[in-house]
């Protein structure tokens, strides 16, 4: 327990502001439950009897009673037997810097403004009079009156502390920051939360909060937050048919890509696999029991998903009417054309039925590849297995990175979706290699009518098209690949699909040789200088951690060093306000830009905060294109990323 003499220097040296004074009366059988203190507070019971529980610690208030607790503490007032009259005084106290190191140490170790205690004052009348005066002046809401309230508050605190420390056996305890943080995370898990956000919400030092979690639970607060989110996600996956994108947003992930990656890392399987198998094993569940679900909030911040396309706006939920219309159209077409359908590519266990070859359709046979030994080939995917009997001649791809994969193997799609943030229909760096490719909508809003019209003999999609998979399968055999899969594994699959596995292996060998050589050169040139990949957004600046697929090229393939703050992140990315960017402390920044957020970038670049960043002053911020670095996750784009890094640091074109 702190002594009065230890507390007083901190009260004397703090800047104190009274935030609010409230008076309430609970009638018999009424209660207050789950009230989180928005600031440090004194609760002064005037009349009546009740049980006050603060973070699990019980106080019996009979007539006059005083409690104190810090920001974030959870308060319940229960078992009210008769009208219970009480005041709340909310205040904020901040230690004024600079100050003596010894005083700062005491403040960090035993912050009196967050301490929890309760007692029955020996001389309550003087305290009650001062409380009534403060409340009366506060209601007048004038500047002079509030100044008077501040003076009365100092007197009140003096009297309270004097009486508290005169009680034999009186104790004060530090708040249970871990419990408070868990309660906070259970309530706000759907919001974008960082360690800094949690520490600020509870009025605790970030390092201290991290240390306390490690000591009590052996994991950090952000890891615990992920567990909360994954438990809620598991419940939604098992008990609802809500699309993956909505589930991701409902548990605090702005992009399904980040969510799927985090889910697989935490649970051992992808969200789609988890939902399909409808079973929960001990290895998939979190190690701790987490609280109940809360209301969800939506955050559309993501890396390669944009709501705005060509001046229009897509809604958060896809339209079901177009899917239904196309399904009816498909059923009719399949019924009428069952005897005249062209050659089938293969057998799809996921729902696509092969059709018999027609003698009227032989035009494509003369163009079939001569490398017949590559077929038949079985392609394993997220919906089962698909057997390809021959080289598919008309492939529809429903993710932009698949265009890159095909072109890498000297193939091209017959149709593709576009990246919503890109002005061009298809990747600009591939346009000279593409001929007569049909536009099939966007990744999140594929145009089923356009897909049907192009008459593909194979469709390749990801779990983003889960809602329309059955409809796609009625059009043509459909292979569903994991959106989060490493591009190297995807390339190997495409090599099998088009009968060019050897060519795919050559591409991978060349990439490995290239990056191995560059890694050594970059290490020799940069040493321990750090690099960060950042992307300004409306809400702040997104910083990509090593787990992010684009950042992994920098940190894993090329061996560049990440700042400590970035390395500490367990998620694939995190967001900070512009004011916090200097704390990242990277020597070099790759600044990801696109047309959608161009104005935001320009606005940031005009601020003093941006101009005073060391990397900016040293001309060590490098613009890069979001479509190449983020959206087009294929071998050609990735080699362009590697070449850009070599150009920046080594001067090689």
């Amino acid at each position: 327990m702190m002594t009065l003499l230890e507390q007083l220097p901190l009260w004397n040296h703090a800047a104190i502001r009274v935030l609010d004074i409230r008076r309430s009366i609970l009638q018999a059988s009424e209660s207050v439950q789950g009230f989180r203190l928005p600031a440090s507070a004194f609760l002064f019971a005037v009349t009546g009897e009740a049980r006050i529980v603060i973070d699990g610690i019980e106080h019996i208030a009979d007539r006059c009673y005083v409690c104190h607790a810090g920001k974030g503490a959870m308060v319940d007032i229960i078992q009210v037997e008769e009208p219970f009259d009480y005041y709340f005084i909310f205040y904020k106290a901040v230690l004024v810097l600079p100050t003596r190191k010894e005083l700062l140490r005491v403040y960090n170790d035993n912050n009196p403004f967050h301490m929890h205690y309760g007692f029955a004052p020996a001389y309550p009348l003087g305290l009650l009079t001062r409380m009534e005066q403060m409340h009366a002046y506060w209601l007048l809401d004038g500047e002079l009156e509030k100044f008077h309230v501040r003076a009365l508050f100092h007197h009140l605190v003096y009297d309270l502390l004097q009486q508290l420390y005169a009680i034999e056996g009186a104790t004060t305890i530090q708040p249970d920051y871990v419990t408070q943080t868990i309660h906070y995370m259970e309530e706000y898990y759907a919001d974008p939360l960082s360690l800094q956000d949690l520490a600020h919400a509870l009025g605790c030092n970030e390092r201290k909060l991290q240390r306390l979690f490690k000591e009590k639970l052996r994991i950090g607060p952000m890891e615990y937050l992920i567990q909360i989110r994954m438990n809620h996600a598991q419940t939604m996956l098992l008990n609802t048919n809500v699309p993956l994108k909505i589930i991701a947003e409902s548990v605090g992930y702005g992009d399904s890509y980040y969510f799927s990656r985090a889910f697989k890392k935490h649970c051992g399987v992808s969200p789609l696999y988890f939902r399909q198998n409808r079973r929960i094993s001990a290895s998939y569940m979190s190690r701790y029991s987490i609280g109940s679900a809360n209301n969800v909030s939506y955050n559309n911040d993501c890396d390669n998903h944009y709501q705005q396309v060509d001046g229009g706006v897509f809604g958060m939920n896809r339209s079901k009417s177009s899917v239904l219309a196309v399904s009816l159209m498909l059923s009719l077409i399949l019924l009428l054309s069952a005897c005249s359908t062209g050659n089938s590519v293969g057998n799809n266990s996921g729902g696509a039925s092969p059709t018999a070859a027609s003698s009227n359709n032989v035009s494509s046979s003369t163009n079939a590849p001569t490398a017949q030994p590559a077929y038949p080939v079985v392609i394993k995917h997220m919906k089962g297995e698909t057997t390809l009997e021959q080289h598919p001649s008309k492939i529809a791809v429903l993710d932009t990175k698949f265009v890159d994969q095909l072109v890498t193997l000297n193939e091209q799609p017959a149709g593709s979706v576009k990246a919503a943030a890109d002005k061009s229909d298809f990747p600009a760096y591939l346009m000279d290699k593409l001929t007569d490719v049909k536009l099939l909508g966007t990744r999140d809003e594929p145009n089923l009518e356009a897909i049907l019209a192009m008459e593909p003999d194979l469709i390749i999609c990801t779990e983003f098209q889960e809602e329309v998979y059955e409809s796609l399968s009625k059009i043509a055999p459909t292979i569903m690949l994991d959106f989060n899969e490493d591009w190297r594994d995807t390339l190997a699959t495409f090599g099998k699909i088009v009968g060019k596995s050897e060519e795919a292996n050559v591409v991978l060998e060349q990439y490995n040789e290239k990056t191995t050589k560059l890694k050594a050169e970059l290490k020799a040139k940069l040493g321990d200088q750090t690099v960060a990949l950042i992307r300004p957004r409306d809400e702040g600046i997104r910083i990509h951690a090593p787990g992010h697929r684009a950042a992994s090229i920098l940190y894993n393939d090329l061996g560049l060093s990440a700042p400590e703050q970035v390395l500490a992140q367990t998620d694939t990315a995190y967001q900070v306000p512009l004011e916090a960017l200097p704390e990242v402390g990277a020597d070099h920044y790759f600044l990801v830009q696109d047309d959608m957020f161009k104005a935001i970038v320009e606005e940031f670049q005009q601020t003093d905060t941006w101009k005073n960043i060391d990397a900016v002053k040293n001309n060590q911020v490098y613009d890069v294109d979001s479509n190449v670095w983020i959206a087009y996750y294929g071998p050609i784009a990735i080699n362009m990323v590697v070449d850009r890094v070599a150009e920046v640091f080594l001067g090689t074109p």
Side-chain angles (χ1 to χ4, degrees):
M1 173 178 174
M2 290 185 73
T3 67
L4 180 61
L5 291 178
E6 287 175 323
Q7 275 212 45
L8 287 179
L10 292 169
W11 282 97
N12 280 330
H13 205 75
I16 299 172
R17 185 159 63 97
V18 177
L19 302 176
D20 195 9
I21 301 177
R22 306 176 192 173
R23 183 179 184 180
S24 300
I25 300 177
L26 292 177
Q27 301 300 323
S29 300
E30 291 183 341
S31 65
V32 172
Q33 298 191 35
F35 175 58
R36 185 186 307 282
L37 294 182
S40 297
F42 287 100
L43 186 157
F44 192 99
V46 180
T47 60
E49 182 178 346
R51 191 159 63 97
I52 302 171
V53 183
I54 302 177
D55 282 344
I57 299 176
E58 182 177 302
H59 303 267
I60 303 300
D62 184 6
R63 304 297 184 267
C64 292
Y65 197 86
V66 178
C67 291
H68 179 271
K71 180 180 180 180
M74 192 70 74
V75 178
D76 298 321
I77 304 176
I78 55 179
Q79 294 182 4
V80 178
E81 300 295 338
E82 56 185 78
F84 183 69
D85 189 356
Y86 65 99
Y87 290 91
F88 258 128
I89 302 178
F90 298 99
Y91 72 95
K92 181 177 182 179
V94 180
L95 200 62
V96 178
L97 299 177
T99 186
R100 292 182 289 111
K101 290 184 179 180
E102 178 62 23
L103 193 61
L104 188 60
R105 182 191 64 78
V106 175
Y107 174 78
N108 289 329
D109 293 342
N110 294 286
N111 188 336
F113 315 121
H114 288 171
M115 280 186 170
H116 176 190
Y117 51 84
F119 68 101
Y123 306 102
L125 293 180
L127 298 175
L128 177 58
T129 300
R130 191 156 284 132
M131 284 290 310
E132 291 174 343
Q133 287 179 323
M134 291 175 63
H135 186 247
Y137 279 114
W138 185 261
L139 293 178
L140 293 175
D141 199 29
E143 290 300 322
L144 185 60
E145 286 76 12
K146 287 186 177 181
F147 183 74
H148 193 179
V149 167
R150 181 179 175 184
L152 291 171
F153 179 73
H154 282 83
H155 284 288
L156 178 69
V157 171
Y158 172 79
D159 289 343
L160 286 172
L161 292 178
Q162 190 177 47
Q163 294 198 46
L164 170 66
Y165 284 95
I167 298 174
E168 184 176 352
T171 59
T172 61
I173 60 174
Q174 285 293 327
D176 186 348
Y177 285 117
V178 173
T179 299
Q180 289 182 12
T181 305
I182 290 173
H183 287 160
Y184 186 85
M185 290 190 292
E186 287 174 339
E187 186 174 353
Y188 297 105
Y189 68 89
D191 294 345
L193 295 175
S194 65
L195 180 61
Q196 182 181 22
D197 295 330
L198 294 174
H200 177 73
L202 279 301
C204 179
N205 179 273
E206 292 177 37
R207 292 183 179 178
K208 182 176 182 179
L209 186 61
Q210 185 88 5
R211 174 176 56 80
L212 292 172
F213 258 82
K214 291 284 187 180
E215 291 175 354
K216 189 169 184 177
L217 301 178
R218 297 184 180 180
I219 61 171
M222 298 309 295
E223 294 171 282
Y224 197 96
L225 175 62
I226 291 172
Q227 292 182 1
I228 293 175
R229 288 171 168 172
M230 292 307 134
N231 273 19
H232 285 283
Q234 288 173 353
T235 300
M236 295 183 72
L237 285 166
L238 289 175
N239 300 316
T240 74
N241 291 319
V242 175
L244 194 64
K245 181 176 71 170
I246 303 302
I247 292 177
E249 292 165 344
S250 299
V251 295
Y253 290 86
D255 192 302
S256 303
Y257 166 74
Y258 293 135
F259 166 70
S260 296
R261 191 176 182 115
F263 189 94
K264 189 170 184 178
K265 181 178 179 181
H266 180 80
C267 302
V269 295
S270 69
L272 185 60
Y273 182 93
F274 185 89
R275 168 177 271 172
Q276 287 176 334
N277 284 268
R278 297 277 172 172
R279 64 174 180 258
I280 306 175
S281 68
S283 61
Y284 296 156
M285 298 302 291
S286 84
R287 290 167 287 174
Y288 301 93
S289 176
I290 309 298
S292 59
N294 293 279
N295 294 332
V296 298
S297 65
Y298 296 99
N299 173 16
N300 290 318
D301 185 28
C302 56
D303 269 32
N304 51 2
H305 165 59
Y306 302 86
Q307 296 294 330
Q308 187 171 355
V309 181
D310 297 333
V313 177
F314 287 134
M316 184 176 297
N317 297 315
R318 289 187 198 146
S319 170
K320 300 296 186 294
S321 58
S322 63
V323 176
L324 178 60
V326 171
S327 296
L328 293 173
M329 186 191 310
L330 287 169
S331 300
L332 180 61
I333 291 174
L334 291 173
L335 179 64
L336 295 176
S337 60
C339 298
S340 60
T341 305
N343 289 339
S344 169
V345 175
N347 181 21
N348 190 338
S349 63
S353 301
T355 53
S358 168
S359 59
N360 296 328
N361 186 3
V362 296
S363 61
S364 63
S365 62
T366 57
N367 296 322
T370 59
Q372 290 301 318
Y375 301 95
V377 62
V378 177
I379 306 297
K380 295 182 178 180
H381 57 98
M382 298 181 73
K383 289 293 186 178
E385 294 182 352
T386 296
T387 300
L388 303 181
E389 300 292 346
Q390 63 183 31
H391 183 284
S393 60
K394 297 179 70 175
I395 302 175
V397 294
L398 304 188
D399 198 290
T400 52
K401 58 178 175 282
F402 295 158
V403 180
D404 190 309
Q405 297 275 0
L406 285 170
V407 172
T408 298
L409 299 174
N410 293 316
E411 302 276 341
Q412 62 177 281
S416 171
V417 294
K418 65 169 287 184
D422 198 346
K423 289 182 176 179
S424 61
D425 288 343
F426 306 113
Y429 65 94
L430 298 177
M431 289 300 288
D432 61 339
K433 300 178 177 62
L434 299 176
T435 56
D436 193 27
V437 180
K438 305 298 183 183
L439 181 61
L440 306 178
T442 66
R443 184 196 72 185
D444 297 299
E445 296 284 344
N447 187 330
L448 296 184
E449 293 92 339
I451 298 171
L452 178 64
M454 68 163 282
E455 299 181 345
D457 51 16
L458 181 66
I459 301 171
I460 305 176
C461 69
T462 72
E463 60 267 36
F464 277 91
Q465 289 83 41
E466 169 69 24
E467 280 185 349
V468 294
Y469 180 80
E470 292 302 322
S471 295
L472 294 172
S473 297
K474 292 177 183 177
I475 299 174
T478 302
I479 292 172
M480 179 180 285
L481 300 181
D482 185 350
F483 179 85
N484 300 318
E485 186 176 59
D486 187 276
W487 67 273
R488 285 162 273 232
D489 297 329
T490 304
L491 181 63
T493 300
F494 270 88
K496 291 179 181 180
I497 290 172
V498 298
K500 294 183 177 180
S501 293
E502 288 302 318
E503 288 89 335
N505 290 335
V506 170
V507 172
L508 295 177
E509 289 172 4
Q510 291 175 343
Y511 180 80
N512 290 337
E513 292 174 2
K514 178 179 184 178
T515 53
T516 299
K517 179 176 180 290
L518 279 174
K519 182 184 289 189
E521 294 175 353
L522 290 167
K523 182 64 176 177
K525 179 67 177 294
L526 297 176
D528 294 328
Q529 294 183 53
T530 57
V531 176
L533 180 63
I534 62 174
R535 191 176 188 192
R537 312 301 296 270
D538 288 327
E539 302 84 1
I541 294 182
R542 179 176 286 276
I543 302 171
H544 297 289
H548 182 266
R549 61 187 188 182
S552 68
I553 300 171
L554 304 181
Y555 302 130
N556 297 334
D557 297 357
L558 297 176
L560 298 174
S561 298
E564 290 185 9
Q565 184 183 114
V566 178
L567 281 174
Q569 298 301 313
T570 57
D571 206 345
T572 55
Y574 67 106
Q575 191 156 289
V576 299
L578 174 63
E579 293 74 21
L581 183 59
E583 298 173 11
V584 176
D587 298 302
H588 304 266
Y589 290 95
F590 285 99
L591 175 63
V592 181
Q593 297 195 61
D594 54 52
D595 291 333
M596 184 169 292
F597 293 99
K598 183 179 179 180
I600 295 294
V601 173
E602 292 175 349
E603 180 181 330
F604 284 169
Q605 290 174 332
Q606 298 303 313
T607 65
D608 290 337
T609 300
W610 179 272
K611 293 176 182 178
N612 287 323
I613 295 172
D614 289 339
V616 174
K617 292 189 287 188
N618 296 330
N619 293 319
Q620 291 177 172
V621 178
Y622 319 105
D623 295 343
V624 296
D625 180 10
S626 70
N627 290 311
V628 174
W629 281 59
I630 304 293
Y632 302 137
Y633 186 61
I636 298 175
I638 286 169
N639 273 279
M640 292 173 68
V641 172
V642 170
D643 292 342
R644 175 66 169 139
V645 174
E647 177 187 3
V648 165
F649 294 125
L650 303 176
T652 55

